[in-house]
Structure formats: structure tokens, C-alpha cells
Amino acid sequence: MAEGPGEASTLPITAKKKKSLSIEEKIDIINAVESGKKKAEIAAEYGIKKNSLSSIMKNKDKVLEAFESLRFDPKRKRLRTAFYTDLEEALMRWYRIAQCLNVPVNGPMLRLKANDFAQKLGHNDFKCSNGWLDRFKSRYGLVFRAQPVDPTAAPADPSVVWCQNVLPYYLSDYRPKNVFNIKETGLLYRMLPTNTFAFKGETCSVGKLCKDRVTLVVGANVDGSEKLPLLIIGKRRNPQCFTGIKSLPVHYEANRMAWMTADVFEQWMRKLDEKFQAEHRRVVVFVDSSPAHPEVTNLKSIELAFLPTCLSSKFIAMNQGVIKSLKIKYRHCLVKKFLSSVEGGKEFTFSLLDAVDTLHLCWRSVTPETILKSYEKAGFQSQKGDGDTSEAETDTGLDMVAHALAAGVEFPEGISIEEYAALDDDLKTCEAASNEEVAREGKSEESASYTSDEEEDRGAPGTELTLPSETEAVTALETLKRFLRSQAMNDVLHNSLADLENFINSLSSK
């Protein structure tokens, strides 16, 4: 029987299924396009449409970031993220570092660590179920296999493992300007060269000198473009020299030992976290493992990376020249102030407030080149390329002995500015393993050093501060303006003077 016109035999039409490409394939496509290959040929080779290729190139940065950071399995085809993104990132980072260190990881270990991270990150409603763990392993392409053990193999050097595997893994996630290292150092802020031999080798646990100590916390980023505000930890919350002072150019904390503690560290991290949140930045901060450096929960913009205890201090970038440069500059200023007092026939006074201002001034003058070289010495990749041969700054501008002799002051012979600046490097800066030990040492030091706050004040010259009036401030500013305008000033200084005058004028209108 013949078929009617409307009954012609037709085959069912099926829509062509869209081809999904893995992250690895997308990387190959991006490389092919950027090498100059024709887009039509690339699309035909991978069996995709031209508009699909255009979408890949449009999202190039996301694809490259996913591939380079190892956050996703290269065989995956979609970049979907989980609800607990911060937890998964922390867990995956822990897993990758365990791999680098040849630590075998299994499912129960991963589940235990996931619950641990959830608690630290404040996800109290999270429980690592079998289903969640399976989905996590699938998202990241994790397959647990027994690792063969070579009984003849020598144990890996932790330093080599850190530099070649662990450190690059962190650095792949962050731009150089968002990678920081912080480190504490002790500072005897009133110690003159005349005191150096008397206290050389002392731990400063007893005696008058320990009252003149602070702990200084220094931090900067890899490319040297940003120095964190200094954190200074003193012995007294409200020293007499701070009377009437409502703002300081540094962060200031205090406790009986003038040490970094877990509480001080957490408070400071939260302040920095607020700063980076306001700047819409995500940063990593490298710190050495210590009871005074705890995990800090619910940080939004800071990832803390703890240096393993098995590594030597040479991997702490601030120890490779930054702290030395700051201390040398500070000692220069201290000696100059002392000699100026001697030459003027005045009693030398130098308070904690003077120390704070001097440290702020010197910290601003530490150069990016010094910071860059310090990171390179610590094993961080150079950000200027292999061809850069610039040297870090050297501070040899003050011949202390000659200058002192000219002022009629005898300083110890044979001591260099570098030795003078390094004499307090070994001061203890962090709390002990337990609060009880801190309390015991605090009581011991208190009884050995001074009996009351009043006695400490009497032993610290220059602590009394008379605040100038507004009229005196205006007169001082006019004097400063006349002096600076007789010099070759740049626009920055002119603007700073105008800002100062506007600020003083605004006080009279309040």
C-alpha cells in the first residue's frame, strides 16, 4: 500500500550531545590558540563548536588557576565547588603536603582531619560522612593505594622536601604581593654600646636591663612592596610615657614577660585579617611552629602556613636580613641621639615612646631590595628573575668609635655596628609550652628585677611627658615649614605638611 504524502518515512531526529572537555584538554586548547594555530582547526580537532572554544578562552584565567593550583583533578570536566570551600581547600592542602612528605594517607585519616578542620574553621554543623568523603575524593581525583617502600632508600632531607615540594605548592596559589612571613625578635631598646660587653652573652632573664626590653614582630611580603605594621610587645599596658597618647604608629600589646603569646597572636591576626578583608585580598602568612602561634579560626582573608619544626631558621625570610637591617638602623638612631645629648650637655633620656617612634621610622626605611634578598636566601623564588644581581642595602654609614671620641665618649673598641645590633638576637620572645610555666617565670623575673611599677618608672629616664598645647603645635609646624621650604622639597612633603596643618585646624573646630 502506497504511503500518503504526509506519511513519508522519516528517521527520528536526535540532538547532538555536547562534548565535555577535561581541564587538561582545555589547557591544551588554550596553549594551541596562544601559539597561533587557527581556531577552526583546533575546534575540528577536539570536536567542538567555535563558540565553545571562545567560551574556553573567555574563562582562561579560571581554567589556568584550577590547573596550576592543583585544587582540581586535571581529568575533571567541571569546576564546581563545594559548600564548605575553605574546609576543602585546607583539607586538600594538608593532603598534598602529606604526599610531598611521603606520609601515607587513608580514608579514616582524611575523615578525622576533615572534622578537625571543620571545628577550627567554625563549621560546627559539619560531619564527615562516607558520602561526603566519597564526593570529596571524586571531586579531587583521589585514589588511595599502598605505597611501595624501598628499604635501601635514604630518608629525605626535610629542607629539600620543603623547598622543592611544599613551598612551591603554597606559592602557586598566591601572587608574590600576597605572600608574607612574620617573625619575632627581642630588642633591648635602651642598650648603648657602653653596655654591650657587660651584658654580652646574658639571657636578660634578671637584672635592670630586662626592664628595657620589648618583643618586636616584623613582617613583609615576598616582592618587598608591603611591610606589615610593626607589633611591639612591652611589659606594661600603660607606661607613663604613653600618658595622653591616643594613637601610635605601631600595634602595641603588653604582658609581664613582654613575650608573644597565643592570645596576642590571635588578636593581631584578626586585626590583619580585617585589613586584608577591607582590601578584598586573600593572603598566606608563613609563621614558625610554636605554642605562641596557634591555629586561628574563622579567618576570612588570611591562610596561616606553619613552617615545620624540623626546618632551621634559615627558611624564615625575616631572619635573612630584614630584622638585621632594622636593628642596625635603630642602633644608628639610638647612638646618634645619645651623642647629640652629650654634645649638647643634656642628660640622655630615651623612653619606650621614643623607641616606638624610632622603630617606626627605621622600619619605613628598610628597602624592598633587602626584603627580596632575604626571601631569596630563605629559598623563595626570586621575583625579579635570575638576571637580577642587586645587593641588599648595607648599613656602614656610622663610625661609632670615631663619632663618640669626637664627643668625648669612650665606646668599647673592636665592636662593629653589626655585632652591636645583634647582641639581643637570642632574647626569648615567645611563651613556653604551658601557661603555668609562663606564670612561674613571670613571678621569678618580677621579684628579681623590680618590686613595683613605680620603681620601674624611676629606673627609666625620660618617661614623663608634658603634652604641648595646640598653639605650641601650630608654632612648631610653622618652624618646620620654614626649614623644609629652604630645602629641595618634593610634592609628597608639601602635601604632607598641608595634611598636618588641616589636621591641627580641624581640632580647633571640634
Side-chain angles (χ1 to χ4, degrees), residues 222-258:
V222 167
D223 63 8
S225 63
E226 182 175 358
K227 290 172 279 192
L228 296 177
L230 292 175
L231 170 62
I232 297 176
I233 307 169
K235 282 179 167 287
R236 301 187 60 210
R237 173 65 56 185
N238 297 301
Q240 191 173 341
C241 61
F242 284 8
T243 302
I245 302 297
K246 294 184 178 179
S247 64
L248 293 170
V250 303
H251 293 303
Y252 180 79
E253 297 289 342
N255 55 62
R256 187 177 300 280
M257 307 293 286

Side-chain angles (χ1 to χ4, degrees), residues 11-79:
L11 295 174
I13 299 175
T14 57
K16 187 176 180 181
K17 187 177 180 181
K18 184 178 179 181
K19 182 175 181 179
S20 294
L21 299 172
S22 68
I23 298 174
E24 223 168 22
E25 290 174 316
K26 290 177 182 177
I27 291 292
D28 291 339
I29 289 173
I30 291 169
N31 291 336
V33 171
E34 293 184 341
S35 69
K37 193 173 181 179
K38 292 184 179 179
K39 292 184 179 179
E41 294 179 7
I42 299 171
E45 180 182 345
Y46 285 89
I48 58 174
K49 297 181 179 179
K50 286 186 179 179
N51 59 352
S52 296
L53 188 147
S54 299
S55 296
I56 292 171
M57 297 305 298
K58 183 179 178 181
N59 296 301
K60 178 181 73 170
D61 290 341
K62 289 183 179 179
V63 176
L64 289 171
E65 192 274 336
F67 181 76
E68 292 173 358
S69 68
L70 303 177
R71 287 178 53 215
F72 295 91
D73 176 17
K75 303 298 181 184
R76 283 192 64 193
K77 302 187 183 229
R78 297 190 181 183
L79 302 182

Side-chain angles (χ1 to χ4, degrees), residues 483-490 493-494:
F483 171 75
L484 291 178
R485 285 173 176 170
S486 69
Q487 312 299 316
M489 281 176 63
N490 57 28
L493 285 175
H494 281 295

Side-chain angles (χ1 to χ4, degrees), residues 183-200:
K183 181 59 181 172
E184 299 92 352
T185 184
L187 179 69
L188 299 171
Y189 64 87
R190 263 198 291 262
M191 184 178 69
L192 291 165
T194 48
N195 305 126
T196 55
F197 286 161
F199 294 99
K200 191 171 184 180

Side-chain angles (χ1 to χ4, degrees), residues 107-124:
M109 287 176 62
L110 208 58
R111 182 185 298 175
L112 186 66
K113 203 63 187 176
N115 287 326
D116 181 43
F117 278 127
Q119 185 179 10
K120 289 176 179 177
L121 293 169
H123 299 311
N124 299 323

Side-chain angles (χ1 to χ4, degrees), residues 97 100-102 156-168:
I97 292 174
C100 292
L101 298 174
N102 293 320
D157 182 345
S159 301
V160 175
V161 173
W162 169 258
C163 285
Q164 294 184 354
N165 299 307
V166 180
L167 182 59

Side-chain angles (χ1 to χ4, degrees), residues 372-417:
L372 273 167
K373 286 295 178 184
S374 297
Y375 271 103
E376 289 175 11
K377 288 179 183 177
F380 288 69
Q381 183 179 358
S382 171
Q383 303 303 314
K384 286 189 175 182
D386 296 334
D388 175 56
T389 57
S390 62
E391 292 295 329
E393 63 186 321
T394 56
D395 297 88
T396 56
L398 176 64
D399 184 340
M400 289 191 303
V401 176
H403 193 172
L405 288 175
V409 177
E410 284 192 36
F411 280 169
E413 295 182 6
I415 183 170
S416 68
I417 184 69

